[in-house]
Amino acid sequence: MKSPQPSVVVGIDGSDAAVNAAKWAVSEAISRDVPLRLVHAIPQREPAGAADDDRLDIEYGQTVLRAACAAVNAMGRQVKVETDLVHGPPGEALVVESTHAAMICLGSIGIEELARRIIGSTVITLAEQAHCPVAIIRHNRAGKDPRTGWIAVVVDDSAENDAVLGNGFREARLRDAPILAMGVWRWGLGEIPYDQLDRRLGRWVSEYPEVHVLPAAARGGAAAFLASTPETIQLAVIAGSDADDVARIVGPINAHFGHPGCSVLVVRT
């Protein structure tokens, strides 16, 4: 049954990346005092489809949900965990979930360039259509801890930037991390517009005095900056209007000869 209150929803597909996202989401649920809701999408089949196929789909879904739940419980954190099977393509099913969620979380090992043109790509669908913030958690197969490094946050003059900054500072405090404030204005002479940055960041610096903030010039946009920075970024926080950049920020599946990518929080309001 669906949770009667907002929850932090995690899409579970049986992958290690999805379980990693569920573990990442535990802190999100605890900080909001809401349940962690693990869901698995069962494909819609034609009415003439074999009953055995449906049964196998359900059994598989129950198995991967039990495994994810066990991994979360093994962390020893005080969080209420709910599990549910939903029907339909994963992207569409999670968009529906997002209407009553505080956040949607997905795991990813990377996104191929072609993914943006494949109908039904779950990550892209959620980034562009969800009704709540969407976290795409980059899973590093080498075992590197994704919870270390900067929280990189876009800073600009758009109407939605306050929501981006609010979410970014919240994540920084929750994860005891510093903020890399990516000023994306286009200015001359290579100077960071400190007056503009101070004005935009002032409210949040006052509200979160324990969070260290470092300004950074990102003239070419967040995706280009993140692809070239030597800093370790654990999470990039961007606006829903920048969802087109998600594939570039998360990075390719095989990152041996490119930038390693990072997790992304798309702030959809």
Side-chain angles (χ1 to χ4, degrees), residues 7-93:
S7 55
V8 174
V9 176
V10 185
I12 301 297
D13 60 6
S15 67
D16 289 342
V19 172
N20 182 61
K23 292 179 177 180
W24 183 92
V26 167
S27 294
E28 300 292 336
I30 292 175
S31 69
R32 292 171 170 81
D33 193 23
V34 300
L36 180 68
R37 178 171 160 79
L38 311 180
V39 301
H40 174 78
I42 298 175
Q44 293 280 17
R45 296 191 179 276
E46 296 298 327
D52 283 348
D53 290 339
D54 289 334
R55 177 178 57 80
L56 290 174
D57 286 340
I58 291 172
E59 289 179 357
Y60 177 76
Q62 292 172 336
T63 298
V64 299
L65 286 173
R66 281 196 298 269
C69 188
V72 168
N73 289 334
M75 296 174 68
R77 306 286 300 278
Q78 295 298 311
V79 61
K80 179 181 179 182
V81 181
E82 301 175 347
T83 62
D84 200 4
L85 296 173
V86 295
H87 290 81
E92 294 178 13

Side-chain angles (χ1 to χ4, degrees), residues 30-256:
I30 292 175
S31 69
R32 292 171 170 81
D33 193 23
V34 300
L36 180 68
R37 178 171 160 79
L38 311 180
V39 301
H40 174 78
I42 298 175
Q44 293 280 17
R45 296 191 179 276
E46 296 298 327
D52 283 348
D53 290 339
D54 289 334
R55 177 178 57 80
L56 290 174
D57 286 340
I58 291 172
E59 289 179 357
Y60 177 76
Q62 292 172 336
T63 298
V64 299
L65 286 173
R66 281 196 298 269
C69 188
V72 168
N73 289 334
M75 296 174 68
R77 306 286 300 278
Q78 295 298 311
V79 61
K80 179 181 179 182
V81 181
E82 301 175 347
T83 62
D84 200 4
L85 296 173
V86 295
H87 290 81
E92 294 178 13
L94 290 172
V95 167
V96 173
E97 288 284 325
S98 74
T99 61
H100 57 81
M103 178 183 285
I104 294 278
C105 298
L106 298 170
S108 176
I109 59 172
I111 303 173
E112 294 288 15
E113 291 297 324
L114 191 61
R116 293 200 45 77
R117 299 189 289 275
I118 298 176
I119 296 174
S121 174
T122 304
V123 167
I124 300 301
T125 298
L126 266 292
E128 296 180 345
Q129 300 179 27
H131 302 282
C132 68
V134 178
I136 300 103
I137 306 305
R138 173 86 196 207
H139 180 55
N140 190 310
R141 289 169 167 165
K144 182 179 178 181
D145 189 346
R147 296 164 294 182
T148 58
W150 297 83
I151 305 292
V153 183
V154 168
V155 186
D156 60 26
D157 286 327
S158 67
E160 58 192 342
N161 194 233
D162 270 340
V164 172
L165 290 171
N167 277 269
F169 273 84
R170 186 180 186 283
E171 291 298 327
R173 180 168 66 184
L174 180 62
R175 304 183 185 282
D176 192 24
I179 278 183
L180 197 60
M182 300 181 292
V184 298
W185 292 282
R186 294 187 180 278
W187 54 82
L189 305 178
E191 294 294 327
I192 297 175
Y194 288 104
D195 289 345
Q196 288 177 292
L197 277 172
D198 287 345
R199 186 176 68 253
R200 294 295 298 123
L201 295 170
R203 167 191 169 187
W204 305 104
V205 170
S206 297
E207 188 171 338
Y208 296 86
E210 71 276 27
V211 175
H212 172 66
V213 180
L214 177 69
R219 301 175 193 82
F225 174 84
L226 293 168
S228 60
T229 181
E231 302 292 349
T232 299
I233 308 297
Q234 62 170 294
L235 182 71
V237 186
I238 65 175
S241 59
D242 294 325
D244 285 351
D245 287 336
V246 165
R248 292 176 62 199
I249 295 173
V250 172
I253 290 175
N254 185 340
H256 292 300

